[in-house]
Amino acid sequence: MPNDADFAGLHVASLESRRGDDMRRLIERHGGVPHVSPSMREVPIEPNRAAIDFAYRVMTGEISTVIFMTGVGFRFLMRSIEKHVNTQRFLDSLSDITTICRGPKPVAALREAGVKATHRIGEPNTWREILRYIDDHKLAVANQEIGLQEYGISNASLVAGLEARGASVQPVRVYGWDFPEQTDPLRENIQALADGQRDLLLLTSAHQIVNMMRMAETMGITDQLRSGLRTTAIASIGPTTSQMLAECDLHADLEPSHPKMGHLVVESARRSAQLVAAKKRLKETDEKIQQSISFVTESPATAEKHPSHDSLFLKACRGEPTERTPIWLMRQAGRYMSEYREVRAKQSFLELCANPALCSEVMCTAVDRLGVDAAIIFSDLLPLLQPLGFDLEFVAGDGPVIHNPIRSSDDLTRLKRLDDPQSLGFVYETVRQTRADLPEGIPLIGFAGSPFTLASYAIEGGGSKVYTNTKKLMYESVSQSGGGAWAELMSTLSEAITVYLNHQIAAGAQCVQLFDSWAGCLSPIEYSEFVLPWMNQIIAGIAPGVPVINFATGNPELLPLLRGDSRTVVGVDWRIPLPVAWDRIGRDKSVQGNLDPAVLLADPDVIRTRAADLLDSVAGRKGHIFNLGHGVFKETPVENAIALVETVKELSAR
């Protein structure tokens, strides 16, 4: 094993059950202090009348396809039915129908019984890969009875995805996960995690998370555990486990390159110093973020439920049914409107951003003229950088320029924390003014740049096509203790963004959006390692109950990484069909998007056709907010933008 894979005496928790001894040895071999406590045991459901009925339906031809999620599940299924049906006839029936196996283990279990699986889903073996495989291989599931061998808790996303493809799903549970017979070690480990006495937590199964949270509930320390886990580095063996973390409003800081225990331990050890240092910085900033959350809850602007709470837009954010699809447009107050150009001609862009009355005027004018269902404050991504020590200028013809970019660790001496959030008071006043000027039923959206986009501006000194300096600083951090300059810059930006957005909420914003304009230059691996932990930190720190729209452009492969927490809405750009994007994200999430802004340069008939196609493609799904896949082009005729809004209102009425 590589010499740099060293936990260096850190305390490492694991909830591994079957291979607890192997996990303990691996942690010790790589210099960690192991705290391994079994968290679960497989318990067959006995007697299992549903499994027997399921077997008969397979044998009589009522079920045409069976999806096997686990090898142990197939074995438990056979055990459940062996005394009640002719097992050879059941196996022969399985051989005659389509069988889909999630990974190699159910394939091997079927092979042991003499059945050759029809299809095997490749890594990372999540429910998304199952649905994608069905789509890519054009498997016939519409109007079919699909058997689904479940394990532990039901996978609602997979069931919903199959039903959306026209299948009738017949789930069968054959075993569950119970606590181990001896629970004292598990209780001790969970209490230590809650008390902040573990540096890292290694997870190899989604059900470890479920049982950890169940046990914490029985111990009465759920909130304390969540607090402790927030500042504990969490390594997840793969996407299924990471998704369960997200569903519990927790976040993985690392996934190994391969979903194997050895890779999990080695790669966690290799990056342990960086991960733990980042969590220590997070602990230091938590107090400041908690102060900003308190500022929100104590603010008169949010003391009571706002009249826009039941608006179409906020209902869609929450995934609730709406009588039609809500619509607003990114950059809806901009250079394509004559009213904006008249205001802009009298001052520089930064001067306009610093004038709350004019910012409110241009936005309220746009909302009134377009007839949209939500407003977003008129501001820019970059003024946040100024109180952090950056010399920002908007240069005619060149756009924003940072005159003192960060290129090395030495440059960090001039990086400041946002110790005085009121240095951005003109933005909060813009929120208050716009909120006061808007109709009460129209929600107001605050926003900030995401940390990667702000970091790329701060490092490159402006826009870029290849982000050479940004990626250089990013990759230099891999070999640096604590993550080096990249981690310090991202930590500072993430703290500032969180506090900044909470102050906007306190001033009267009902929703906030994070813009990651340059994230498309990153691969999913790069995003997961260098950006996702900071995004998770920001979303977790935003005042509870406030919808957060997470919008990143340029690379549809990043979409599953944008899910955030339970109140996150995922913004989608125009580079991917919306239903495909939604399936990748998960149908349990609300989405925003995603008409190509260039369509608004076309004739009204084309606009109507393209808008209708987009609406039809996601018809019947809850939680869609119609928007462009990016901002309105300056060349767009304002009449075309109005026509789009009217078209969406007309065609989406239910």
Side-chain angles (χ1 to χ4, degrees):
M1 292 291 180
N3 292 331
D4 61 345
D6 187 359
F7 286 114
L10 294 172
H11 289 262
V12 184
S14 167
L15 306 181
E16 179 63 35
S17 297
R18 285 187 197 161
R19 300 182 60 193
D21 291 340
D22 293 338
M23 176 65 85
R24 186 177 293 104
R25 284 192 293 268
L26 280 169
I27 294 170
E28 289 177 339
R29 185 186 305 168
H30 294 285
V33 179
H35 302 275
V36 182
S37 56
S39 58
M40 60 189 188
R41 58 189 173 98
E42 296 157 349
V43 180
I45 298 171
E46 293 177 342
N48 194 339
R49 186 68 230 175
I52 299 166
D53 291 343
F54 174 83
Y56 276 117
R57 297 191 69 188
V58 170
M59 291 188 293
T60 57
E62 294 179 53
I63 292 177
S64 60
T65 299
V66 179
I67 299 174
F68 289 103
M69 302 295 284
T70 61
V72 71
F74 172 74
R75 295 185 182 97
F76 275 138
L77 174 63
M78 296 302 296
R79 186 189 305 179
S80 297
I81 67 173
E82 62 185 358
K83 295 180 181 179
H84 305 277
V85 304
N86 184 321
T87 54
Q88 187 57 53
R89 183 183 168 198
F90 174 70
L91 293 172
D92 291 342
S93 298
L94 281 181
S95 298
D96 291 338
I97 65 175
T98 300
T99 49
I100 301 172
C101 291
R102 186 185 70 101
K105 292 182 179 179
V107 171
L110 285 169
R111 188 188 302 119
E112 291 170 6
V115 178
K116 182 179 180 181
T118 316
H119 301 281
R120 169 181 162 177
I121 307 301
E123 291 185 354
N125 313 135
T126 71
W127 60 269
R128 290 189 181 87
E129 277 68 49
I130 296 174
L131 296 177
R132 193 174 302 172
Y133 186 98
I134 288 171
D135 293 340
D136 291 346
H137 290 78
K138 297 180 172 55
L139 301 188
V141 297
N143 303 314
Q144 301 293 312
E145 295 283 335
I146 307 295
L148 175 61
Q149 172 256 306
E150 295 188 316
Y151 60 105
I153 58 175
S154 180
N155 189 321
S157 297
L158 176 57
V159 172
L162 292 168
E163 291 176 343
R165 288 160 175 77
S168 177
V169 182
Q170 302 296 325
V172 57
R173 289 188 65 211
V174 290
Y175 67 98
W177 296 107
D178 205 346
F179 292 126
E181 292 180 354
Q182 296 295 326
T183 62
D184 287 348
L186 177 61
R187 290 172 178 271
E188 291 171 9
N189 222 359
I190 290 174
Q191 186 66 62
L193 286 164
D195 292 339
Q197 296 174 359
R198 304 288 187 255
D199 298 301
L200 297 98
L201 170 62
L202 309 186
L203 295 165
T204 57
S205 163
H207 295 288
Q208 293 172 4
I209 303 161
V210 174
N211 274 17
M212 175 179 67
M213 300 309 296
R214 284 177 58 207
M215 181 59 76
E217 186 174 0
T218 67
M219 296 167 66
I221 60 168
T222 301
D223 291 341
Q224 186 183 349
L225 176 62
R226 288 185 181 279
S227 178
L229 289 174
R230 179 163 161 72
T231 51
T232 301
I234 301 177
S236 158
I237 200 165
T240 301
T241 303
S242 298
Q243 182 182 332
M244 182 59 72
L245 282 167
E247 289 177 3
C248 294
D249 285 339
L250 301 170
H251 305 283
D253 300 297
L254 177 145
E255 280 186 14
S257 55
H258 297 284
K260 309 293 183 185
M261 181 188 290
H263 287 275
L264 175 69
V265 175
V266 170
E267 294 176 33
S268 296
R270 187 173 296 140
R271 290 190 53 207
S272 58
Q274 176 184 348
L275 292 171
V276 172
K279 289 296 182 176
K280 286 182 179 178
R281 282 194 297 270
L282 176 58
K283 195 169 186 177
E284 293 170 359
T285 65
D286 263 354
E287 183 177 346
K288 181 178 289 188
I289 291 173
Q290 288 304 313
Q291 289 174 350
S292 71
I293 292 176
S294 297
F295 188 65
V296 172
T297 58
E298 294 169 4
S299 169
T302 54
E304 298 178 359
K305 187 170 77 172
H306 193 268
S308 65
H309 180 269
D310 293 322
S311 63
L312 295 174
F313 171 80
L314 289 178
K315 280 185 174 181
C317 286
R318 298 190 295 267
E320 298 172 5
T322 54
E323 53 265 35
R324 65 168 174 81
T325 302
I327 177 172
W328 71 280
L329 308 179
M330 286 181 280
R331 211 181 294 138
Q332 61 191 12
R335 288 174 290 178
Y336 75 105
M337 292 191 120
S338 59
E339 294 90 341
Y340 171 83
R341 293 194 297 271
E342 291 173 8
V343 171
R344 177 70 175 78
K346 299 174 184 177
Q347 56 263 305
S348 71
F349 181 69
L350 280 179
E351 288 172 338
L352 174 56
C353 289
N355 189 322
L358 288 180
C359 288
S360 175
E361 178 185 327
V362 296
M363 179 50 64
C364 291
T365 298
V367 169
D368 182 61
R369 190 158 186 202
L370 297 176
V372 289
D373 296 305
I376 188 167
I377 63 168
F378 186 88
S379 186
D380 191 75
L381 304 181
L382 300 185
L384 176 58
L385 293 178
Q386 290 181 301
L388 305 185
F390 294 97
D391 183 5
L392 170 66
E393 181 185 5
F394 281 83
V395 179
D398 293 329
V401 175
I402 303 291
H403 293 293
N404 57 342
I406 285 178
R407 298 288 169 80
S408 69
S409 297
D410 293 339
D411 295 330
L412 290 172
T413 56
R414 60 175 177 267
L415 181 64
K416 303 175 183 177
R417 297 175 72 178
L418 187 62
D419 290 325
D420 178 19
Q422 291 307 319
S423 59
L424 293 158
F426 61 93
V427 178
Y428 316 141
E429 184 55 37
T430 292
V431 175
R432 280 188 285 270
Q433 185 69 55
T434 309
R435 178 67 277 164
D437 294 343
L438 280 172
E440 284 192 332
I442 298 291
L444 179 60
I445 306 166
F447 74 88
S450 292
F452 177 78
T453 290
L454 293 183
S456 66
Y457 272 115
I459 296 166
E460 302 292 341
S464 175
K465 293 182 179 179
V466 292
Y467 302 93
T468 305
N469 294 308
T470 302
K471 290 200 171 187
K472 178 176 181 290
L473 196 71
M474 193 171 77
Y475 275 107
E476 285 176 348
S477 71
V478 174
S479 59
Q480 296 171 338
S481 177
W486 178 258
E488 186 167 343
L489 176 58
M490 291 292 279
S491 177
T492 302
L493 289 171
S494 298
E495 176 190 304
I497 291 165
T498 309
V499 173
Y500 181 52
L501 290 175
N502 279 335
H503 276 70
Q504 291 184 38
I505 294 165
Q510 282 72 54
C511 173
V512 292
Q513 175 157 322
L514 287 157
F515 285 88
D516 219 342
S517 306
W518 310 128
C521 75
L522 299 172
S523 70
I525 292 174
E526 289 173 326
Y527 188 91
S528 296
E529 181 173 355
F530 298 111
V531 179
L532 185 57
W534 309 107
M535 291 298 297
N536 288 339
Q537 174 185 322
I538 291 168
I539 292 172
I542 292 171
V546 178
V548 179
I549 303 170
N550 192 5
F551 177 61
T553 69
N555 184 358
E557 295 301 319
L558 301 180
L559 286 169
L561 302 173
L562 306 182
R563 286 175 51 86
D565 63 8
S566 59
R567 45 65 186 280
T568 304
V569 178
V570 179
V572 182
D573 75 11
W574 73 95
R575 294 174 175 90
I576 181 173
L578 189 58
V580 175
W582 208 335
D583 287 341
R584 288 190 185 182
I585 295 161
R587 295 200 185 187
D588 58 316
K589 307 298 292 184
S590 294
V591 301
Q592 176 177 284
N594 72 333
L595 188 70
D596 189 336
V599 171
L600 292 188
L601 303 176
D603 294 334
D605 288 346
V606 174
I607 295 170
R608 184 178 181 87
T609 298
R610 292 302 174 95
D613 290 345
L614 195 156
L615 288 167
D616 288 344
S617 73
V618 293
R621 300 194 192 189
K622 295 180 292 186
H624 177 215
I625 299 162
F626 198 106
N627 208 315
L628 302 178
H630 210 280
V632 180
F633 292 162
K634 65 179 181 180
E635 299 85 359
T636 300
V638 67
E639 294 78 11
N640 287 6
I642 295 170
L644 173 65
V645 174
E646 292 176 347
T647 295
V648 171
K649 288 182 175 182
E650 174 194 344
L651 298 183
S652 68
R654 298 173 175 83

